[in-house]
Amino acid sequence: MTAATDPGNDADLAATLSARLAEVRERMAAAAARAGRAPSEVTLVAVTKTVPSAVVRIAATIGLDTFGENRVQEAQEKIGALGNVSASLRWELIGHLQTNKAARAADLFSRIQSVDSLRLAEALNAHAGERGAVLPVLIEVNVAGEASKSGFAPEQLLEVARMLVALPHLRVEGLMTVAPQADDAESVRPVFRRLRALRDTLAATVPTPSGGWHELSMGMTDDYEVAIEEGATIIRVGRALFGARPPLATH
Ligand SMILES: *Cc1c(COP(=O)(O)O)cnc(C)c1O
């Protein structure tokens, strides 16, 4: 694992990030090719939790434009700090969202990947509605049923999906999952396969106004290649780009 990036020297840092990005893109392309898919079918979300704004700013100059954050407050600070870099930057929420922060999140993020309760979905719908907006969301699924993880159980999905697609100010675009931690990426392949099967079932049984259910957000630093082989359309990669996070900052 690469060491945490030192924001001391911007040119060195840009070169380091560029090299890591090139490697991730190469591996993404190889994984897509193994599955007979085009690399353009997979969106890379660069996960910037715990990464300082100064580093994210440099990342935005080397070809990264979509960033994932877990916490509203941290994201708000970075979005403010990078506001003048480019109008085309996208920020997506990938972590658990408390309902009392739904209004701020609906304002800040291009998409909420981590919708994990009906209450939250209703709050996001209400706040998007107040702004006359339609907010893109993914439904988070706890495929492996881990007590430590948020997300709906697979058994709840059909009913939840029917309720969410009826909310006029949300656009349900697909599913998201965080696979269990494993030493061997191969061992989480069934989790990704299951998420894809769940998505295919929903696509066949729950029509959305916008023809949704396209997106499958799955795969992180340790398993994104397997996820792409199993159909991921979005991968969320932090450490492979920015280096190891501080040990306690596992949020
Ligand atoms: C931290 C995080 C990631 C990125 O994890 P890496 O192992 O650093 O690639 C992806 N998704 C979620 C939900 C995360 O919290």
Side-chain angles (χ1 to χ4, degrees):
M1 188 52 55
T2 39
T5 20
D6 168 10
N9 181 321
D10 285 5
D12 285 357
L13 187 50
T16 302
L17 288 174
S18 292
R20 290 177 184 163
L21 176 58
E23 184 182 340
V24 169
R25 291 246 185 246
E26 238 170 72
R27 289 177 174 224
M28 288 173 69
R34 285 195 293 278
R37 309 177 64 204
S40 59
E41 291 173 38
V42 187
T43 297
L44 172 62
V45 173
V47 176
T48 46
K49 64 185 179 200
T50 77
V51 177
S53 302
V55 177
V56 183
R57 177 179 287 274
I58 292 167
T61 67
I62 60 144
L64 288 167
D65 57 9
T66 305
F67 300 107
E69 286 280 343
N70 294 40
R71 292 192 167 179
V72 174
Q73 182 64 39
E74 185 180 342
Q76 188 167 23
E77 287 163 18
K78 284 178 208 176
I79 293 168
L82 269 82
N84 59 351
V85 170
S86 157
S88 65
L89 298 187
R90 289 175 50 86
W91 297 84
E92 306 205 12
L93 186 70
I94 61 172
H96 174 66
L97 175 60
Q98 290 167 281
T99 303
N100 63 7
K101 292 181 183 157
R104 252 196 307 160
D107 282 340
L108 283 170
F109 293 100
S110 310
R111 178 160 56 196
I112 310 287
Q113 295 201 8
S114 42
V115 173
D116 57 8
S117 76
L118 286 175
R119 231 163 67 90
L120 174 61
E122 280 159 3
L124 290 169
N125 179 64
H127 292 298
E130 280 164 20
R131 292 188 304 141
V134 173
L135 182 65
V137 299
L138 305 180
I139 302 176
E140 183 169 358
V141 186
N142 188 353
V143 176
E146 291 174 282
S148 61
K149 294 232 165 85
S150 9
F152 293 99
E155 300 71 37
Q156 298 174 285
L157 261 190
L158 199 57
E159 189 187 348
V160 164
R162 290 205 166 103
M163 294 172 92
L164 262 59
V165 299
L167 298 174
H169 298 287
L170 297 188
R171 187 169 73 226
V172 182
E173 297 183 329
L175 303 180
M176 178 270 216
T177 199
V178 179
Q181 279 206 321
D183 294 336
D184 171 18
E186 232 9 89
S187 67
V188 295
R189 188 182 291 276
V191 171
F192 298 145
R193 205 166 272 179
R194 180 89 196 279
L195 193 74
R196 182 192 183 143
L198 290 166
R199 189 277 311 268
D200 291 349
T201 301
L202 292 175
T205 51
V206 183
T208 70
S210 51
W213 302 123
H214 175 71
E215 305 291 357
L216 277 178
S217 177
M218 54 191 198
M220 312 181 2
T221 289
D222 292 328
D223 52 24
Y224 68 88
E225 291 156 287
V226 174
I228 291 170
E229 288 169 11
E230 295 301 330
T233 62
I234 299 167
I235 59 169
R236 310 176 307 266
V237 176
R239 289 168 300 138
L241 294 168
F242 299 107
R245 285 182 291 274
L248 288 176
T250 51
H251 63 265

